[in-house]
Structure formats: structure tokens, C-alpha cells
Amino acid sequence: MQALGLIETLGYTTAVSAADAALKAADVQLIAVEKVIGVGGSLGVTIHLSGDVAAVGAAVDAGKAEARRIGTVISAHVIAKAHEDVNRKILSRFLPGLPADSGAAAAGTAAAAVSGAASGADAASDTPDISEP
């Protein structure tokens, strides 16, 4: 796997704006969008980006700057090369083709509402649909 970039925002609009800026800034791919309803019912959205280390770094910087202009950034980070366990136990939920961990598959992945850009999947079925007005 190449570098992994994460930008976690408060709110869907902020995340979409961050993703747009990140994708325009560098040659990276949007590999997943993770939505989690947090404390007080706030929607936390994390975008996952992939590409070479320099491109992901530039994309995360651009996305983070745009997200701060629009709303709130919770965190942002670049992992140059994710450990095999991260790929197998966490990222396999988002990326078809990565071997899934048998323990994670047995436990299920309904803890977070996830929609993978590559698969076009909607949020997990037990998570309420969140739409901004």
C-alpha cells in the first residue's frame, strides 16, 4: 500500500470540501469516507486518501486548509506506509481486494457508518441516514 492520508472533520460539508481540495491539489485517490455519529449527535467524517507520500502530504495539507476555512478539523495525519495489521484489520473494511482479517469479519463492521468510494456502498444498515438540510 502507498501512503495513507486521513482528514477528520466535523460535518459532511466540511469533509466534502476537504476532499475536493485534496483531490485537486495532488495525484491522490479518495479511497473511503467514514461517517460516525459522535457525542451530542455530531457527525464526524473522515476521508481516506491514498497515493505516494509526497502527494498525500500535499493533498492532506490542502484539504485541511480548506476544511478549516469551511468548518472544523478534528485531526489530519499522513501514514507513509501503514503496517500490515492496519491494512488487514482496519482498511480491508473500506478497500475491496485487501484481505480481510477473519476476527474483524466475524465481529462485523457495523460500528461505524462507512461508504467506500471504490465500492459505492451506502452507510451501514444499523446507522441512521444523515442528510444535511
Side-chain angles (χ1 to χ4, degrees), residues 7 9 13-23 47 49 59 62-64 66-67:
I7 304 173
T9 68
T13 302
T14 305
V16 170
S17 298
D20 182 59
L23 293 169
I47 63 169
L49 304 163
K64 186 171 55 172
E66 181 64 10

Side-chain angles (χ1 to χ4, degrees), residues 53 84 88 121 127:
V53 177
E84 179 182 318
R88 188 175 69 242
T127 305

Side-chain angles (χ1 to χ4, degrees), residues 64-118:
K64 186 171 55 172
E66 181 64 10
R68 284 188 176 139
R69 192 181 74 75
I70 301 296
T72 302
V73 174
I74 304 300
S75 63
H77 188 62
V78 175
I79 300 173
K81 183 178 177 187
H83 187 277
E84 179 182 318
D85 284 350
V86 172
N87 290 334
R88 188 175 69 242
K89 294 181 179 185
I90 298 173
L91 298 179
S92 65
R93 293 180 12 198
F94 305 113
L95 301 174
L98 280 182
D101 179 62
S102 59
T109 57
V114 176
S115 84

